[in-house]
Amino acid sequence: MGRYVARRLLQMIPVFLGSTLLIFSMMYALPGDPVRALYGEQAIDQAQIAEIKRSLGLDKPFLLQYWDYLTGLFQGDFGTQIASQQPVADVIADAFPITARLTIFAFLFTVVVGITLGVVAGLRPDTLVDKSLLALTLLLISVPSFVLGYAFQYFFAFQLGWVDPNVNDPENYGQLLLPAIVLGSLSLAYVARLTRTSIAENLRADYVRTAVAKGLPRRRIVGVHLMRNSLIPVVTFLGSDLGALMGGAVVTEGIFNVRGVGYTVYEALSRREGSTVVGVVTLIVIIYLVCSLLVDLLYAVLDPRIRYA
Amino acid sequence: MPEALDTSAKKLPAGEPATVPVPVDAKAEKTRSLWSDAWHDLRRSPMFVISAVLIVLLLVMAAFPGLFTGASPRDADLSNHYLGAPNWSHFFQADWLGYDGQGRSIWARMVHGARASIIVSVGVTALVTILGTLVGVLAGYFGGWLDAILFRLTDVFSGIPFMLGAMVVLTTFAERTVWVVVLALAFLGWTTIARVARGSVITIKQADYVTAAKALGASTSRILFRHILPNAIAPVIVVATIALGGYIAAEATLSYLGIGLAEPTVSWGIDVSAGKDQLRNAPHVLMMPSVMVSITVLAFLMFGEAVRNALDPKMR
Amino acid sequence: MRGAKSAKWVAGAIVVALAATACGGGSEDGGNKTAGQPDGYVSIDVGEPQKPLVPADTNESLGAYVIKALFTGPVSYDAEGNLEMANAESVETEDSKTWTIKLKQGWKFHDGTPVTAKTYVDAWNWYANIKNNQQNSFWFADIAGYEDVHPESGDPKGDTMSGLKVVDETTFTVELTNPVPYWEYKLGYSTFAPLPEAFYKDPKGFGQKPVGNGPYKFEKWDHKKLIQVAAWDEYQGDNKAKNKGILFKNYTTVEAAYQDLLSGNLDMIRQVGPKDLPKYKQDLGDRAVDAPYAAIQGITPVFYSKQWKDIDPKVLQGLSMAIDRETITKTVLNGTRTPAKSFTPPQVNGNQDLDTDVFTYNPEKAKQLIKEGGGVPDNKIFIQFNADGGHKEWVTAVCESIRNATGVDCVGDAKPDFQTDLEARDNDQVKSFYRGGWVADYPLNVNFLRELYWSKAEANNGRFSDEEIDKLFQQGDNAATLEESIKAYQEAEKVVLEKMPSIPLWYYRINGGHSENVDNVNVDFHGDFVLDEVTVK
């Protein structure tokens, strides 16, 4: 077990290097000059631009810049923003908890509601309940999140007045509720469908029949035997989904005025704040890698047949 | 990842192995391959029929927009600025769905917008399928260091969130035509297919008929193309058709964010983004393209579902 | 409302669940809710400044708002854009080359140290030094000895500009390299503000916690959320704050800010978003603010392109007449702009009636002029714009107007963002036209002509070059007095109209509003609210 985890952690290093290099090179290739753009349409001062770039190391060749970035990163330095001159670490530390909160909120919503719906439908395959769940999830998947966001905002906030249309205080969970639901709805649909399929499939499995034959109470059959086996594909999906949720927050955060990672990246991208974009994406990649490791370890818990050497 | 754990790849149904895919219109009931079986099922699925009709309609719209409307999506008349609320009784005329902020016929823009969505989604799906299958088959069949390298590469790409990645890639292009968007989405999207293909190749590699072919001295390329690929492709097709709808939504989302397609290309995403500012004033401008995107995604999704159900009876 | 309660209850349950999960990533600054604002303070939607709060490092409107509250320079402008003395008692010159600036007595910085001639001279020397990477350093380029601290290349020769001399405690002289009759107008830009001694100990920390000499003193900067400043009791200037302080609140969308304005959580909004523009006057009634300001937008042909290289200006005049400015500003732009009638906005000194029909929609004459001028090469034009700035709508409308009126095909050439747009302009890669805008640095016609159409001006991205115009500008710069200089530039503008280095489209307006809690909300020539005058009801 320990060796397995160690090996997986070692495998993360090339992935980590690869993804930072990928994003870093893309940022490098972007047209536009962040320092020059600070001057906007007004008169510009070439000598000053050159000096600012030199002091930030932006005049160095690409690989050298990447090397500087990496060595900085290993000393815990994410770089400095060009315009605000704030450490990127501070910028991320400001934005990240907000998105984390939103994402975890959305994630919990996805898990709780999605699995419940899936179990309810899966236990009664091909009934009206099951069919309407299928229709609902299909609809959720096909409506893009920006459309859903505006629709929900318009309906629940403006028409019904149940919730605030915008998030002004990212620590108020009441305000985060709507964006979290919008953010989580796509995953919710997937989770519900996966659970439903898996439950329906396992319902016909031998071990369930055996359990029924043994006369075990239905609650125990569903709660222990069925759930434990049916959740494996769901857990796989959820593991890869957390990172995607954070990435998808760009749209949701924009609609609901949440000042999280998505907003930060969007802004940093249009201002060519390379180190900020690379920093955020790197962080999400790490989260993704850690989550997929956790998922694999969870298998062992869910499925006793799996052992790690 | 331990091979046994790769559950993301759906295992093939334990049907009899077919070495050659039978053309879908084959009437031969005798062969009863996976494909003819699937076709047999599909024809009876209402979901398939509805979605197929919708998709054909969209394809025709994309190819020959002139059949649906005589109005140009570009011609603007500012005297129509938002005045034209939908005139539901004027079926398929220029003012049927009203006018947008520039005084352009919304119906004409909906019809002409189909092309961009279809090209992007079909283009991306085709590229992703080719690239993903290639990587997946190579990694799955040869294993070893090739697998290790290709799979770290897959990890690199799948760790980067799709939307964020697409935003960065697309910003690098000054001119964002339909093809640029196709390339950008394909560049980031191939990993799912690669995983699925790899998983299914690994399962098939151990099948008796592959061992038999090897024992008979078949060349690697023959084994790959005659035995492995035809059998491994079913789950790939399932994932690809479902993903197709997702790419339509992705294009619309990126265009909505202002990073996808740009005018003068007509795209529903662009129209949603233009319409969002008029939510209070002229909601139909936002609604029409939103509905169009949603219906199109839904059609492809249902199509994918139906194909999946037919190819993978276990899922039913 | 029952719904709201149950939503909160669900949320509460989830909070408990969240607290139980380990990987919560919670933030440290708990407890501090921004529900209300301190008594007597007013709030405005001014987002996160791009740069640290140092006067010479701030050139965008958000940071400028805060800098203006914290610092007071030697002079300022009144609502009509006329010059008035602020921290200076007088600014005088005999020859437009050597200027004497006398400061008012008794002024202090917020930390209690006095504002002296030396604090000005030291600050200006520091701002101009290339090593200090101040964005507005070139504003000091008129001063003699500027190239010593700010060379074109290489390290600076010294720390001081020879043109700056302290005469006594409150007097200093400035010698310019060349006479600039309108130099005192430039002084109103907030870049010319003084700095206290404390600044030089820690310039970096100062940018996060500035100490100025303005009507407000800095309280706190909660990054990406708000900046809070308090009225300063000991302020000596005429523009002493009539409220107790200001909250500059950051919103990610104008829609969110507007919602807050309607619900009373925000006092002032600078610009209503396009979504709410059609209805904001109904929503706000007499609390809506709709005022013009000194900024202009146009489309500029690039004279390095094959298309416009040797073009007859008649063609450009024809294209100008093919644009239906009236209808476009009313419909697509929702009244956020006023059709342009010249190359300078009405709020600047020297704006004049050009007595021409070049800016009036006239499809017949447009066609005729284009034909007389030999037609548009390729019969197709492009208008380059940045897709992230809300320009797409009007570019499309302008294009359609030209296409309908003249038959010349016209399409927008969208660059994904401002950065890409600027790069194409700087590198002479614009295909045909680009969208150009100019906001007044100082309220003089000079600013809208010399900076844009002088052959060597940095912002002249159309690379327009005309000897006659250059000569006329030079005459304006050599004029003995400000009045004569303005007149000379007015003459130059008449020639500019004949040469058409760009097609002016419209002047900007501010479309904002305020809440019921505040009163006396006025707009300056720059389109900014005059915050110190705002009163709380």
Side-chain angles (χ1 to χ4, degrees), chain A residues 32 36 38-39 41-42 45 48 51 54-55 83-84 104-105 168-169 173 257 259 270-272, chain C residues 14-15 18 23 33 50 130-131 133 135 137 150 224 250 252 417 419-420 423 425-426 435 441:
Chain A
R36 186 261 170 261
L38 289 173
Y39 288 83
E41 290 176 312
Q42 310 294 86
D45 178 355
Q48 191 68 71
E51 178 60 31
R54 203 175 63 200
S55 70
S84 73
I104 291 170
F105 204 174
N168 296 320
D169 171 17
Y173 286 94
N257 184 42
R259 273 171 237 100
S270 69
R271 288 194 189 157
R272 303 289 183 274
Chain C
I14 294 173
V15 173
L18 272 182
C23 50
K33 299 272 174 270
Q50 272 187 26
I130 191 164
K131 285 287 163 197
N133 291 337
Q135 222 184 310
S137 48
H150 198 108
K224 303 249 158 117
N250 184 18
T252 48
D417 49 32
Q419 311 260 349
T420 319
E423 181 162 281
R425 288 199 223 169
D426 288 347
R435 165 205 78 82
D441 295 317

Side-chain angles (χ1 to χ4, degrees), chain B residues 80-104:
Chain B
N80 281 330
H81 172 77
Y82 296 128
L83 287 177
N87 260 321
W88 299 113
S89 53
H90 293 191
F91 289 116
F92 306 119
Q93 292 174 29
D95 63 343
W96 184 37
L97 302 178
Y99 291 95
D100 72 0
Q102 301 284 349
R104 300 177 295 203

Side-chain angles (χ1 to χ4, degrees), chain B residues 73-151:
Chain B
R74 257 191 87 185
D75 279 342
D77 178 358
L78 281 178
S79 58
N80 281 330
H81 172 77
Y82 296 128
L83 287 177
N87 260 321
W88 299 113
S89 53
H90 293 191
F91 289 116
F92 306 119
Q93 292 174 29
D95 63 343
W96 184 37
L97 302 178
Y99 291 95
D100 72 0
Q102 301 284 349
R104 300 177 295 203
S105 157
I106 292 183
W107 171 234
R109 292 193 68 78
M110 293 306 92
V111 170
H112 286 265
R115 183 172 292 172
S117 279
I118 298 289
I119 294 183
V120 168
S121 56
V122 173
V124 175
T125 309
L127 274 182
V128 155
T129 309
I130 294 170
L131 191 66
T133 314
L134 190 73
V135 172
V137 168
L138 288 182
Y141 186 75
F142 293 104
W145 60 269
L146 188 64
D147 187 26
I149 291 180
L150 286 176
F151 248 67

Side-chain angles (χ1 to χ4, degrees), chain C residues 183-440:
Chain C
W183 188 71
E184 57 181 324
Y185 258 84
K186 290 194 177 184
L187 276 181
Y189 193 43
S190 46
T191 289
F192 290 93
L195 290 172
E197 273 304 312
F199 169 82
Y200 305 96
K201 282 179 207 132
D202 179 17
K204 233 181 156 167
F206 185 92
Q208 303 298 319
K209 213 173 172 299
V211 176
N213 63 336
Y216 294 89
K217 72 168 192 259
F218 177 84
E219 282 193 324
K220 67 169 176 183
W221 185 355
D222 208 350
H223 281 284
K224 303 249 158 117
K225 285 185 199 136
L226 93 155
I227 295 176
Q228 186 174 324
V229 299
W232 188 45
D233 290 339
E234 293 160 60
Y235 184 64
Q236 301 288 320
D238 300 332
N239 56 334
K240 198 165 173 160
K242 297 194 171 67
N243 46 57
K244 285 195 178 144
I246 311 167
L247 299 172
F248 299 96
K249 289 168 100 171
N250 184 18
Y251 290 87
T252 48
T253 64
V254 274
E255 284 79 25
Y258 188 69
Q259 280 307 319
D260 256 16
L261 184 83
L262 290 184
S263 56
N265 293 327
L266 179 72
D267 291 328
M268 280 167 279
I269 182 167
R270 297 177 302 135
Q271 179 64 42
V272 175
K275 206 184 282 180
D276 300 302
L277 264 179
K279 305 230 163 114
Y280 88 105
K281 284 193 180 163
Q282 289 169 38
D283 290 345
L284 297 176
D286 61 353
R287 293 184 284 120
V289 176
D290 178 5
Y293 66 95
I296 195 167
Q297 192 160 56
I299 53 175
T300 308
V302 288
F303 293 95
Y304 51 79
S305 68
K306 234 194 232 157
Q307 189 167 36
W308 304 123
K309 205 183 236 159
D310 301 305
I311 199 72
D312 185 334
K314 269 188 186 163
V315 175
L316 293 166
Q317 288 180 333
L319 287 174
S320 172
M321 295 177 81
I323 300 165
D324 188 354
R325 294 175 177 77
E326 282 297 329
T327 312
I328 297 173
T329 47
K330 251 184 232 147
T331 56
V332 176
L333 288 165
N334 270 311
T336 55
R337 312 275 202 280
T338 315
K341 292 193 177 63
S342 73
F343 292 85
T344 60
Q347 293 75 24
V348 299
N349 261 318
N351 169 265
Q352 60 184 337
D353 181 3
L354 284 174
D355 189 27
T356 172
D357 60 353
V358 170
F359 305 110
T360 319
Y361 182 56
N362 186 342
E364 289 313 309
K365 198 163 171 204
K367 262 185 273 189
Q368 189 199 328
L369 278 172
I370 292 174
K371 209 172 144 198
E372 280 172 25
V376 173
D378 309 331
N379 212 35
K380 179 170 186 176
I381 59 174
F382 296 89
I383 301 177
Q384 177 181 309
F385 67 100
N386 49 316
D388 63 348
H391 303 295
K392 194 184 85 187
E393 310 298 327
W394 68 256
V395 168
T396 311
V398 165
C399 264
E400 283 308 300
S401 185
I402 291 176
R403 201 164 72 103
N404 288 340
T406 64
V408 175
D409 196 11
C410 173
V411 281
D413 179 12
K415 300 290 172 203
D417 49 32
F418 195 32
Q419 311 260 349
T420 319
D421 176 46
L422 283 176
E423 181 162 281
R425 288 199 223 169
D426 288 347
N427 298 344
D428 293 358
Q429 287 163 342
V430 178
K431 280 190 228 164
S432 144
F433 278 97
Y434 68 85
R435 165 205 78 82
W438 191 265
V439 185

Side-chain angles (χ1 to χ4, degrees), chain A residues 224-307:
Chain A
V224 177
H225 297 268
L226 196 53
M227 287 291 270
R228 184 163 171 173
N229 284 291
S230 306
L231 284 186
I232 293 180
V234 181
V235 167
T236 313
F237 173 80
L238 287 175
S240 63
D241 195 44
L242 204 61
L245 275 179
M246 291 198 154
V250 176
V251 176
T252 324
E253 289 183 357
I255 295 173
F256 293 100
N257 184 42
V258 182
R259 273 171 237 100
V261 163
Y263 169 71
T264 306
V265 169
Y266 188 76
E267 190 191 59
L269 191 61
S270 69
R271 288 194 189 157
R272 303 289 183 274
E273 293 279 5
S275 47
T276 312
V277 175
V278 181
V280 169
V281 176
T282 306
L283 205 62
I284 297 182
V285 170
I286 291 175
I287 291 174
Y288 167 82
L289 290 173
V290 170
C291 281
S292 59
L293 175 62
L294 286 179
V295 164
D296 286 348
L297 294 178
L298 249 180
Y299 283 140
V301 179
L302 286 171
D303 188 345
R305 285 171 303 185
I306 296 171
R307 287 283 173 267

